[in-house]
Amino acid sequence: MAKVSSEALGNESIGKLLIRQALPASVGILVMSLNILVDTIFVGNWIGSTAIAAINVVLPISFFIAALGMSIGIGGSSIISRALGADNDKKARKTFGNQITLTLLLCVSLVILGLIFINELIPAFGGKGDIFEPAKIYYRIVLYGVPILALNMMGNNVIRAEGKPNFAMISMIIPSVGNIIGDYLFINVMDLGMYGAAWATTGSYMVCFLYIFWFFVFSGKSELKIDISHFRLDFPILREIGSLGFVTLARQAVVSIIYLLMNNILFDLGGEDGVAVYAIIGRMLMFALFPVLGITQGFLPIAGYNYGAQKYGRVRSSINKAILYACLMGCVVFGLIMGFSKEIAMIFTQNEAIIERTPGAMRWVFAATPIIALQLIGAAYFQAIGKAVPALLLTLSRQGFFFIPLILILPNYYGELGVWISFPIADVLSTIVTGYFVNREIRHNLEHD
């Protein structure tokens, strides 16, 4: 029964399959984003706007370490999808075992380093002035759970690679619901402040891990039945995981660098309130784009499986339909943000200065939302089929090659406005570049089955 699930990736209608894969991914991302959104609302209203800024400082550090798990998960999942498509179950199982070993080795090492250099990292990421102490409290506790978060991220991608999107969705919902419940209990009921916010987050990671462990070991739903021999590192597999996973890791590294730059630039331009404005917009970026990101996640195993099975017509169809569906969702998001930006800001805080500054900035940040689907799907395609170099370059184009130079240059001429207009300019430029390479790939390599 389990095997039928992965074989369906190569046989079912692409449109129906994409919806079936994308809907659970979208719901999972929605719930996860709602968790981050509600967490920020609780913290902002029950602790204060400085606490929002403090969490915004910590997130890029902890998420970069956890992103190792996501990177290993996505890199390995590309191998697993193609291996299942080619009926190579042995390689799929070996890859999964290596993913687990690699995730633990790397993440535990980085957490230890992160705790040693805590006083240097927090100010470097914008945790200055009144932000430093609450950020330090949150950082220390959350970092304890980051290796578990990394395993969760890795496991979630492997579940999706097996063609089991509903289970992957549940693994995203569990920590989100757990964190919201924990926030209410620890912050509102027990009045633990930043300690409560941090322990609610870390506890939710543990609950999610128990579910993923159950899925692979006890549920009988997974095709990847591994034994102790699969945990032994295999360097050809590690090299392939690393080359593909590096794309995701590089993207998260760039995101962390952007948080570092943005927090410091906005602190210099507008103090703690500037950092809080960016924190609110950052949460909305995670939340509002959930349908676009869900379609991208649903697209990955379809493209990877069919490419491995040499069904190139289905690969072309999956690219076209994924871009179409994601663009339509992007237009809906664009309309809602343009119409309700002030109301959105008022949900997070009662600080009048922040409410006044957020709507205009948010409109600029989301200005190019209708077209970013092409960039996201295009970069994801190359990762799905195992072409690491173009995947890396296209993934980095939006935030690394265009956005970072823009935020370093434009604020010198336009102040804080220069920060916000950098977002749509980078989106447009990277979409043009990605469109060119995807079109060339289709013409040269996907014309015939």
Side-chain angles (χ1 to χ4, degrees):
M1 188 73 178
K3 186 66 179 174
V4 172
S5 184
S6 64
E7 287 179 349
L9 296 171
N11 298 319
E12 288 191 6
S13 160
I14 291 294
K16 293 180 181 178
L17 190 59
L18 187 59
I19 292 172
R20 199 184 75 180
Q21 290 285 327
L23 188 60
S26 297
V27 171
I29 294 171
L30 170 62
V31 175
M32 184 177 67
S33 303
L34 274 174
N35 162 44
I36 296 171
L37 209 64
V38 172
D39 184 55
T40 306
I41 293 168
F42 285 173
V43 167
N45 286 279
W46 292 339
I47 304 177
S49 57
T50 301
I52 296 178
I55 293 176
N56 201 54
V57 167
V58 173
L59 278 181
I61 307 171
S62 61
F63 267 42
F64 173 73
I65 300 174
L68 281 168
M70 182 188 297
S71 305
I72 294 166
I74 291 177
S77 294
S78 173
I79 302 169
I80 290 170
S81 289
R82 285 178 284 122
L84 291 173
D87 285 327
N88 190 349
D89 292 348
K90 181 179 179 181
K91 184 175 183 180
R93 291 193 296 269
K94 183 68 174 177
T95 299
F96 183 40
N98 273 233
Q99 286 177 288
I100 296 171
T101 303
L102 191 59
T103 299
L104 285 173
L105 286 175
L106 291 178
C107 291
V108 171
S109 300
L110 285 178
V111 164
I112 293 170
L113 290 173
L115 291 170
I116 291 172
F117 294 103
I118 183 172
N119 291 322
E120 290 78 20
L121 285 170
I122 291 175
F125 277 83
K128 305 168 185 175
D130 294 339
I131 301 175
F132 178 78
E133 284 302 327
K136 186 175 181 179
I137 292 169
Y138 190 82
Y139 174 93
R140 189 186 299 275
I141 296 170
V142 166
L143 219 61
Y144 295 147
V146 163
I148 298 299
L149 174 61
L151 285 172
N152 294 345
M153 288 179 164
M154 183 273 293
N156 177 273
N157 282 285
V158 174
I159 293 171
R160 188 172 289 110
E162 287 194 66
K164 312 228 173 24
N166 291 328
F167 289 97
M169 175 187 70
I170 294 171
S171 75
M172 298 175 77
I173 291 175
I174 288 174
S176 303
V177 174
N179 192 30
I180 290 172
I181 294 172
D183 274 341
Y184 175 76
L185 292 174
F186 296 150
I187 302 175
N188 192 43
V189 177
M190 300 174 67
D191 197 25
L192 296 177
M194 289 301 291
Y195 290 98
W199 279 116
T201 299
T202 299
S204 70
Y205 299 160
M206 291 298 303
V207 177
C208 179
F209 174 76
L210 293 175
Y211 171 79
I212 290 176
F213 183 81
W214 167 83
F215 172 82
F216 285 113
V217 178
F218 297 113
S219 72
K221 304 293 184 180
S222 175
E223 300 170 43
L224 300 174
K225 302 304 180 185
I226 60 175
D227 56 45
I228 195 69
S229 66
H230 296 130
F231 293 105
R232 189 179 304 113
L233 295 178
D234 182 294
F235 288 100
I237 288 177
L238 290 181
R239 193 161 47 242
E240 195 172 357
I241 291 174
S243 65
L244 296 171
F246 184 73
V247 176
T248 300
L249 184 61
R251 180 173 61 236
Q252 186 56 44
V254 170
V255 169
S256 295
I257 292 169
I258 288 172
Y259 269 90
L260 183 153
L261 293 172
M262 289 284 286
N263 285 338
N264 282 283
I265 291 169
L266 290 170
F267 185 87
D268 292 339
L269 292 172
E272 285 90 350
D273 285 355
V275 179
V277 169
Y278 177 50
I280 291 171
I281 293 173
R283 299 307 177 277
M284 285 307 300
L285 279 169
M286 295 177 189
F287 168 70
L289 296 179
F290 80 88
V292 179
L293 298 175
I295 291 168
T296 305
Q297 288 290 317
F299 163 77
L300 282 166
I302 300 172
Y305 187 99
N306 285 285
Y307 192 87
Q310 298 183 4
K311 297 181 178 181
Y312 300 131
R314 289 176 61 81
V315 177
R316 287 196 306 274
S317 179
S318 68
I319 294 172
N320 293 333
K321 283 188 167 62
I323 292 174
L324 175 62
Y325 294 172
C327 281
L328 291 174
M329 292 297 100
C331 290
V332 173
V333 171
F334 174 81
L336 292 173
I337 293 294
M338 294 302 122
F340 299 99
S341 55
K342 185 171 184 179
E343 290 78 4
I344 291 168
M346 293 172 66
I347 295 172
F348 289 91
T349 181
Q350 280 78 52
N351 186 313
E352 289 297 330
I354 295 175
I355 292 173
E356 185 68 25
R357 293 167 64 178
T358 301
M362 190 178 298
R363 291 190 183 104
W364 276 114
V365 170
F366 282 87
T369 302
I371 67 168
I372 63 170
L374 195 156
Q375 204 280 328
L376 293 173
I377 299 295
Y381 162 74
F382 287 101
Q383 193 168 13
I385 66 170
K387 294 189 176 182
V389 173
L392 174 63
L393 295 177
L394 292 178
T395 297
L396 294 183
S397 66
R398 180 173 166 225
Q399 294 175 311
F401 300 151
F402 295 124
F403 183 71
I404 289 179
L406 287 167
I407 61 170
L408 292 174
I409 295 169
L410 294 185
N412 296 323
Y413 299 96
Y414 303 105
E416 192 170 318
L417 175 63
V419 174
W420 307 125
I421 63 176
S422 298
F423 282 87
I425 294 173
D427 288 339
V428 170
L429 292 174
S430 61
T431 298
I432 292 170
V433 172
T434 304
Y436 168 78
F437 282 103
V438 171
N439 183 58
R440 192 177 73 168
E441 168 72 14
I442 291 173
R443 285 188 291 107
H444 289 181
N445 299 317
L446 297 179
E447 284 294 342
H448 305 288
D449 282 350

